[in-house]
Amino acid sequence: MTVRASESLSGLPGPGLRRSLWQRYVTLLADGVPSDQVLVLVDGASRPQWTAWRTAADAPQATGGQWIETPFAWIQQELRLWWGLALEGLAGLGAPVPEAHQPVFAAIDLAQYLLGHFTAHRREAGLLERARSAPHFQSVQLLDALGRGVENGLALGEGPALPATRDRLGRPVAAPCLALAGAIAARLDAGGTALAEEAGEAIALYVDGMLRAGVLDHALQLEVFASALWPHPQYREHLKARFRHVLVEHLDEQPPRLQAVLHELLADGVQGCFSLQRDPQSELFMGGLREYVGADPRGAWEMATNLTHVVPVAEGAAPFAPLGRALLRELTSPRSTVPEAVDLPPGAVELRLDHYSPAEMLQAAAERLVALLATNTVLPRHVALISPTLSPLLIWSLRQKLGDLGVPLYVFAGTNRLRDYRPVRVLLTLAKLAHPAWGLAPTRYELLELLELCTGLNPLKLGRLAPRLFPDGKLAEPAMVLAAVPELKPAALKRYAALAGWLEQQSARLPLPTFFQSAFAHVYARARAPHGMDATADEVFMREISQIGQLIELSERFEAVDRRVEHADAAAWAQRFFAFLDDSPIAERPFFQREPHQNAVMLSTPSQLAERGFQGVDDELRCLFLLDIGSEGWWKRDRRELTNGRVLSRRWRGGPYDPDTERADMDEKLGRVLLACSLKARERLMIYGCLTDEEGRENQGELPYVLNALLAEVHG
């Protein structure tokens, strides 16, 4: 098979489309193209599958390095390699130029912290004091506005500049930063955002501060690459000589800014092969499940049809596609129309909408799930539960109900703080005890938790002995403990003495990431598993190692960022790090692809399943449960107090963003997500609803009515 000069693969999202792009890659290598001359950009969710294909025994022999990356991993590599040229580009734009020899990349939690840091002096002067959102939610919204603006083409130096302002050190904010923030603020203002100009000033302060420090979040990585590095003639010539082919998975999911770069690559003579999601039986569904966060599926199709030959790809069985198409059609059509019934095989869809309370609904769903698993034809890893919101009560209820029936539950929430995990808390307590100069005395609870783990004492007994074990917030000398608490067992006292001795040996000069590694190896791991583990305990311990690994990585990056921003001593840095962990609303990333979730039922939101796939292996999702189908929570707004992804979109038509427009956008968004979820299920679709929500109020969602009408023929 010979690959055309440039082509696009069009088909339903799923493993078939992904494998077709892989086959194009295999063909290129078989035709003698060196592997280091092929750039492959894949979704993060499918990266494990590509790695498995690339390392399989029958994989084609690579003739050099292999460039198979996610788009932003590739952008980060290019910025590291060509940082000097990127700095030249920033200087040419008049933007702040950092002195750092290499950039530091910040995840969402660090970005939120830094946004608060760079805007603190203006917030004290009243900036955004009229905002109703909590400060950390303000930060999330401001970062979202910056990301959507950059992804859709708003750039440094292009736009109506905001009034001049100064950073926390009294330096004027650079004009290109004011222009970028001004363009975002103008869009938000036109869309009806009341605090648009104040939001713009906060964004300008953040962009200016980040560029001065050489710290780049998700949005600024794309902006510096597209505005400062990509236009540089030397870099363009190098890239054109370096890659002969570029393969991109789901071009319709890429932001317009990256689509423009790929368009220019093809214009420079690089041959392309793209995959695009399209339902050939529905003109409504043209890909772009993430359109509402910055993708431009229409622009991707225009690029594909103008520059490439479009090749249809036959997808495997998608038995619930007719239902997904019908839901999308009904949600985007006038409400006065009567839904047309969908013809599906009897028994494939189970509709249970007659439960009164969420508790009754969850109990029925749990019992049905256990009955399916009892057949031994369906395994837990073949099942996903999706709910419009993952409230703590829902997670706890499902975990309890399924746990009582022997079914493990993996929650893909991605919203847990690192401080919520015991191994992280224990290591932080050890760090406080080993560094008294920091002035961060452990709380009584933290000391109780540490000693419970390390001595094996009952927590209640520890509480009674607390004044003798740690006076003044410190560990007492073992001899004093023995004299004061003679009832301590010798084994517990020995473990206590070992802990105190280890703390005595610690050096205050040891870097904190290194200290965490030592504390895990010499204290936590030994106390956690003194006599080995069984299989279940080993799975839990591996999860804890993942959590501690994130703590170590985060402390390394926080130290690098903080020293660039503050240039402070170790004690001040540590105090800010602990404050950051206390205040940060989320962990750095969900523990996905790291946890032993393969033998558990997965719980996620609909958008998470639609965007990220099913544990990286979509074709294994045999049974899908839709829970709380009557809730209004299925409809998600893109407009927030300080951001609106719709008015920042490249396709925004202008004019006020009124309630009717917002409702139409919410309907289309839900229809796309439901179609994407329906395409993933292979055998069964179980839909459960209830009349009331968790607080006893009547559910007002319209999906039960639509589903009843669509499935009328199936259920008689």
Side-chain angles (χ1 to χ4, degrees):
M1 178 174 61
T2 301
V3 178
R4 297 176 182 271
S6 286
E7 64 180 2
S8 295
L9 310 174
S10 165
L12 290 173
L17 192 60
R18 183 181 306 152
R19 181 171 286 278
S20 295
L21 191 64
W22 163 256
Q23 290 299 330
R24 296 306 194 267
Y25 179 68
V26 171
T27 300
L28 286 174
L29 300 191
D31 288 346
V33 177
S35 57
D36 58 0
Q37 294 183 10
V38 183
L39 172 63
V40 185
L41 303 179
V42 302
D43 280 353
S46 63
R47 177 72 185 276
Q49 181 63 74
W50 277 80
T51 300
W53 284 336
R54 182 172 57 85
T55 57
D58 59 349
Q61 183 66 37
T63 54
Q66 291 183 285
W67 290 88
I68 302 177
E69 301 286 354
T70 64
F72 275 87
W74 176 66
I75 286 174
Q76 288 182 4
Q77 291 182 13
E78 296 300 287
L79 289 172
R80 289 192 187 98
L81 291 171
W82 298 90
W83 186 235
L85 292 187
L87 296 182
E88 289 183 19
L90 287 173
L93 294 169
V97 178
E99 298 179 357
H101 297 296
Q102 282 291 312
V104 172
F105 302 119
I108 181 63
D109 49 5
L110 270 177
Q112 291 180 45
Y113 165 79
L114 290 170
L115 190 147
H117 179 79
F118 290 129
T119 60
H121 67 292
R122 292 292 296 130
R123 288 177 186 264
E124 291 173 0
L127 183 70
L128 294 174
E129 68 178 358
R130 292 180 296 151
R132 299 183 302 274
S133 307
H136 66 271
F137 286 124
Q138 294 176 26
S139 296
V140 171
Q141 294 174 44
L142 292 169
L143 292 173
D144 178 79
L146 173 62
R148 301 296 80 77
V150 167
E151 287 178 344
N152 285 278
L154 303 183
L156 287 166
E158 300 178 8
L162 291 170
T165 187
R166 294 182 176 272
D167 69 7
R168 60 196 178 89
L169 300 179
R171 298 170 297 192
V173 172
C177 303
L178 291 170
L180 169 59
I184 295 172
R187 289 282 193 98
L188 293 176
D189 183 61
T193 300
L195 300 174
E197 185 170 321
E198 293 186 45
E201 181 181 353
I203 290 171
L205 289 164
Y206 171 75
V207 173
D208 184 85
M210 295 286 276
L211 291 179
R212 289 181 188 276
V215 181
L216 306 179
D217 69 353
H218 181 88
L220 291 177
Q221 291 166 32
L222 180 58
E223 171 57 23
V224 173
F225 176 80
S227 291
L229 179 58
W230 173 252
H232 200 291
Q234 182 180 342
Y235 177 70
R236 287 284 292 274
E237 287 300 317
H238 163 79
L239 208 62
K240 194 163 58 171
R242 179 174 159 199
F243 293 120
R244 291 168 51 190
H245 299 267
V246 57
L247 280 64
V248 182
E249 184 177 27
H250 297 165
L251 179 67
D252 47 334
E253 300 286 13
Q254 306 307 327
R257 202 72 174 278
L258 186 58
Q259 289 179 15
V261 169
L262 296 169
H263 188 287
E264 293 180 27
L265 265 180
L266 266 62
D268 286 344
V270 176
Q271 297 178 2
C273 184
F274 311 129
S275 71
L276 300 101
Q277 302 166 108
R278 185 174 188 272
D279 183 355
Q281 299 186 36
S282 173
E283 290 301 319
L284 290 171
F285 184 63
M286 300 290 289
L289 302 176
R290 293 195 291 268
E291 180 185 7
Y292 56 94
V293 297
D296 182 20
R298 193 180 310 169
W301 276 102
E302 291 171 357
M303 176 178 164
T305 53
N306 291 335
L307 298 180
T308 71
H309 175 71
V310 179
V311 180
V313 174
E315 177 59 66
F320 304 106
L323 178 60
R325 295 181 189 119
L327 284 169
L328 175 59
R329 181 179 63 249
E330 298 305 327
L331 287 167
T332 54
S333 63
R335 286 293 192 271
S336 59
T337 60
V338 178
E340 298 180 6
V342 177
D343 186 14
L344 294 171
V349 179
E350 299 178 18
L351 193 64
R352 292 288 306 276
L353 307 176
D354 54 346
H355 303 290
Y356 179 75
S357 68
E360 294 177 6
M361 174 193 69
L362 295 179
Q363 184 64 37
E367 291 174 355
R368 183 68 182 96
L369 171 57
V370 172
L372 277 175
L373 298 177
T375 64
N376 294 323
T377 60
V378 177
L379 301 177
R381 62 185 175 86
H382 296 149
V383 181
L385 311 173
I386 63 175
S387 175
T389 56
L390 301 185
S391 68
L393 179 59
L394 171 72
I395 295 172
W396 179 83
S397 298
L398 272 175
R399 188 163 275 149
Q400 288 293 112
K401 294 180 184 301
L402 293 177
D404 292 343
L405 299 171
V407 179
L409 181 70
Y410 173 75
V411 182
F412 184 24
T415 56
N416 295 318
R417 299 187 308 162
L418 283 175
R419 288 295 303 264
D420 293 339
Y421 297 98
R422 183 176 76 159
V424 171
R425 292 194 302 268
V426 168
L427 263 62
L428 293 175
T429 302
L430 289 170
K432 292 178 180 180
L433 290 171
H435 301 85
W438 292 352
L440 299 170
T443 65
R444 176 168 173 161
Y445 171 77
E446 290 172 338
L447 289 166
L448 287 172
E449 186 174 50
L450 172 65
L451 291 186
E452 178 194 0
L453 173 73
C454 294
T455 66
L457 288 173
N458 183 287
L460 296 177
K461 190 173 184 179
L462 271 175
R464 293 195 300 271
L465 302 178
R468 303 178 185 181
L469 292 176
F470 31 86
D472 302 323
K474 301 178 182 178
L475 290 184
E477 293 290 335
M480 296 177 59
V481 172
L482 180 61
V485 192
E487 63 268 30
L488 276 181
K489 294 182 179 180
L493 182 63
K494 182 179 179 180
R495 289 191 291 268
Y496 179 92
L499 173 63
W502 181 85
L503 285 169
E504 187 70 26
Q505 297 172 4
Q506 299 312 299
S507 169
R509 295 187 299 273
L510 197 65
L512 189 56
T514 307
F515 173 86
F516 286 144
Q517 294 173 352
S518 176
F520 172 73
H522 295 96
V523 179
Y524 188 85
R526 291 181 179 179
R528 181 73 174 75
H531 306 296
M533 299 182 181
D534 57 24
T536 303
D538 188 56
E539 287 186 0
V540 175
F541 191 50
M542 292 302 295
R543 184 179 302 119
E544 294 176 345
I545 291 175
S546 171
Q547 295 156 9
I548 291 173
Q550 289 200 42
L551 175 66
I552 293 170
E553 293 172 15
L554 187 56
S555 65
E556 291 172 339
R557 289 192 300 106
F558 187 92
E559 181 178 20
V561 168
D562 191 76
R563 293 197 186 284
R564 289 192 180 191
V565 172
E566 288 290 346
H567 310 286
D569 58 25
W573 170 79
Q575 291 169 355
R576 277 190 295 276
F577 179 63
F578 277 79
F580 160 70
L581 290 176
D582 287 336
D583 296 339
S584 180
I586 62 171
E588 179 193 10
R589 58 183 179 271
F591 304 128
F592 197 53
Q593 301 295 350
R594 286 192 170 201
E595 292 200 37
H597 56 272
Q598 289 85 356
N599 295 317
V601 171
M602 187 179 83
L603 171 66
S604 75
T605 65
S607 59
Q608 287 170 340
L609 182 65
E611 295 177 21
R612 299 176 183 270
F614 178 66
Q615 302 187 5
V617 191
D618 286 339
D619 53 350
E620 287 201 357
L621 178 51
R622 296 172 58 184
C623 303
L624 178 62
F625 284 72
L626 308 185
L627 303 178
D628 202 11
I629 201 68
S631 170
E632 289 186 291
W634 287 88
W635 281 265
K636 305 294 183 182
R637 286 185 169 87
D638 294 311
R639 176 168 59 174
R640 298 288 188 270
E641 186 179 24
L642 302 176
T643 187
N644 186 342
R646 295 290 181 173
V647 303
L648 291 167
S649 168
R650 179 183 172 215
R651 298 289 172 177
W652 184 52
R653 298 180 295 273
Y657 194 72
D658 55 35
D660 290 339
T661 303
E662 182 175 34
R663 180 67 190 194
D665 286 340
M666 292 167 61
D667 286 340
E668 181 191 7
K669 177 178 175 178
L670 176 58
R672 287 176 179 272
V673 169
L674 288 174
L675 174 55
C677 291
S678 69
L679 293 174
K680 296 181 184 299
R682 293 292 183 259
E683 295 179 7
R684 291 178 180 270
L685 186 63
M686 274 73 73
I687 305 173
Y688 285 77
C690 52
L691 299 178
T692 61
D693 62 13
E694 292 174 348
E695 298 181 7
R697 296 170 300 194
E698 183 180 359
N699 275 327
Q700 300 291 328
E702 302 174 21
L703 286 178
Y705 163 75
V706 176
L707 283 166
N708 268 322
L710 291 175
L711 300 175
E713 292 186 3
V714 177
H715 295 276

